[in-house]
């Protein structure tokens, strides 16, 4: 009896699978996808031509798109739509949650291809205008078909012609890029073909590369530098350079070159190719000057990256990599390291409900040669770590806000006589206001236990106080300000002022220019740099020249595997 029941259940299951995969089921699904709904104040139909004409508050839609217009013609046989704007309003096209407006749209509902004239729209934080936009399925641009019906089948990409883009919301933006073509791939990137760069009404220069704006937050650390690089470093002199990418379907080649007055030139090239969603292979080579050894070498690296639901993994190899480690405030050390290879994994941020902050986990395993002082044995290292950061509620109104950061690593080494090493970096601080002055006081303390057999990886305790003072002064324009700032780092271990940083900034509603000078009072690593931050993407930090400035209010990322640092 039980056998018969089992056979019956199997037969019913096979029958259900047959109907679920039958042509009729697909036909019903296709019919639902292609079903067109048309609403308007007035609709007329000409039977001879098969064309329906709609006027007044016209809406036409199916599962993939929605279209609004004052006037519309629809051919029921070819599924061709012609929508026109009038004094009553513009043509509005909505697909995949994105909205475009323009004067006229010619669009085929079956092929999902069309042309919208004089369009304007917004992608992420970017405002775009153009003479026309060609809309089409994403697969027409990427060359990749979606594995799921909810992916590319419902998404429409756009190719803007003679377009202007900016993140500035003003009718006369402070800056803009003009290009013959702008390609928008939703949720992935915006590609601006060889743009001309304008500040106000004045063109600064024609950019020789395609400028790429990643829309995926995990890719924004790869955002390129749009403006020429200019700066000064004590060992290199004054520098001027340029950088930019070449982009193709699912890949890119980013290049950079900069020349210095001390007869030094540096450069880099990074090739990336996406194999499948989330999985990317890369190879790069850097020509970089080593200040300590007075030598410029080519330094290659290669590997693969994988991003899955916020989890990131990197497996990479490198040769003669120049690793800079800030041992203490103002005290930078450079080491030559071979990674053969290094595998790292980083989790997304998780909420820490106990204290109202957040935390993430990471780990790494690798084989390394510390070649800073010549050939050395290869040493295996494995480690696990956790990072936490957060802010507490304001005290005394809005005048005081405490914050904290902490990072812990546990490393073990496969080397004769090697000890384990533990590193705990903590930062506790407070932001406070006094009139027009904004100040931040932070106490940094590092504890270490054990040692590393490699000098680049061997950390010492440190204890420092950071104090910053900033003032924001309005200009005659209501939405523009001058920023003046100074920050000092005092070493409690050495009882000395180790570093000073001076900043002068000019802020507009859409961007912030910063001129920075780092005075290294304990070594010879002083430099001057210019930084531009597009406020819509503050994490991008478009650094025109100069180095990173350590900010104690952000977690100490220098101890996180290089692949995952905020650059």
């Amino acid at each position: 009896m039980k056998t018969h029941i089992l056979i019956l259940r199997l037969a019913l299951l096979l029958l259900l699978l047959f109907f679920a995969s039958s042509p009729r089921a697909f036909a019903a699904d296709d019919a639902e996808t292609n079903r067109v709904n048309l609403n308007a104040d007035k609709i007329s139909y000409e039977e001879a031509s098969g064309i329906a004409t709609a006027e007044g508050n016209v809406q036409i839609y199916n599962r993939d798109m929605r279209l609004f217009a004052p006037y519309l013609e629809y051919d029921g046989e070819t599924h061709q739509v012609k929508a026109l704007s009038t004094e009553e309003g513009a043509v509005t096209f909505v697909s995949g949650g994105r909205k475009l407006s323009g004067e006229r749209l010619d669009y085929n509902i079956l092929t999902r291809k069309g042309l919208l004239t004089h369009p304007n729209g917004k992608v992420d934080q970017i405002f775009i205008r153009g003479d026309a936009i060609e809309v089409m399925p994403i697969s027409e641009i990427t060359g990749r078909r979606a594995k799921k019906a909810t992916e590319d089948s419902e998404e429409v990409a756009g190719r803007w012609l003679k377009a202007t883009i900016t993140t500035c919301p003003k009718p006369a933006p402070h800056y803009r890029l003009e290009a013959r073509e702008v390609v928008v791939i939703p949720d992935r990137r915006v590609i601006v073909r060889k743009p001309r760069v304008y500040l106000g009404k004045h063109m600064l220069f024609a950019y020789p590369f395609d400028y790429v704006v990643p829309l995926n937050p995990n890719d924004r650390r790869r955002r390129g530098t749009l403006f020429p690089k200019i700066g000064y470093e004590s060992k290199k002199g004054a520098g001027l350079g340029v950088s930019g990418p070449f982009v193709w379907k699912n890949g890119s080649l980013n290049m950079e070159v900069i020349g210095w007055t001390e007869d030094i030139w540096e450069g880099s090239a990074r090739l990336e190719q996406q194999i499948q969603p989330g999985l990317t292979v890369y190879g790069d080579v850097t020509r970089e000057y080593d200040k300590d050894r007075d030598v410029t070498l080519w330094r290659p690296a290669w590997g693969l990256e994988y991003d899955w639901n916020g989890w990131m993994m990197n497996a990479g190899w490198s040769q003669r990599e120049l690793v800079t480690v800030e041992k203490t405030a103002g005290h930078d050390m450079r080491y030559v390291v071979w990674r053969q290879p290094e595998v790292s994994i980083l989790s997304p941020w998780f909420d820490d409900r106990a204290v109202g902050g957040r935390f993430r986990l990471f780990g790494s395993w690798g084989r390394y040669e510390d070649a800073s002082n010549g050939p050395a044995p290869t040493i295996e290292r494995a480690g696990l770590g956790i990072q936490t950061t957060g802010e507490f509620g304001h005290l005394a109104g809005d005048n005081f806000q405490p914050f904290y950061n902490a990072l812990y690593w546990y490393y073990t080494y496969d080397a004769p006589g090697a000890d384990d090493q533990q590193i705990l970096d903590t930062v506790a601080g407070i932001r406070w206001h006094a009139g027009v002055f904004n100040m931040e006081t932070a106490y940094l303390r590092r504890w270490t236990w054990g040692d590393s057999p490699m000098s680049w990886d061997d950390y010492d305790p440190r204890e420092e106080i950071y104090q910053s003072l900033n003032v924001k002064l309005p200009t005659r324009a209501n939405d523009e300000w001058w920023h003046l700032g100074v920050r000092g780092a005092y070493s409690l271990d050495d009882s000395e002022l180790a570093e000073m940083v001076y900043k002068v900034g000019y802020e507009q509603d859409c961007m912030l220019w910063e001129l920075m000078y780092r005075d290294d009072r304990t070594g010879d690593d002083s430099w001057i740099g210019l930084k531009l931050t597009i406020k819509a993407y503050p994490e991008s930090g478009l650094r025109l020249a100069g180095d990173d400035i350590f900010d104690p209010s952000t977690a100490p990322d220098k101890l996180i595997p290089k692949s995952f640092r905020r650059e």
Side-chain angles (χ1 to χ4, degrees), residues 499-537:
E499 178 188 67
M500 292 294 296
V501 176
Y502 305 91
K503 296 183 181 181
V504 177
Y506 184 68
E507 181 182 4
Q508 297 173 311
D509 68 325
C510 54
M511 59 185 179
L512 171 64
W513 295 86
E514 288 183 296
L515 179 66
M516 293 173 285
Y517 169 56
R518 186 224 190 178
D519 180 13
D520 180 14
R521 303 173 68 92
T522 61
D524 192 14
D525 280 320
S526 299
W527 53 262
I528 298 174
L530 183 63
K531 181 179 180 180
L532 170 63
T533 300
I534 301 300
K535 294 170 67 176
Y537 301 107

Side-chain angles (χ1 to χ4, degrees), residues 145-154:
R145 293 195 173 275
K147 294 182 179 180
K148 299 180 180 179
T150 56
E151 291 184 359
D152 290 357
S153 61
E154 295 185 1

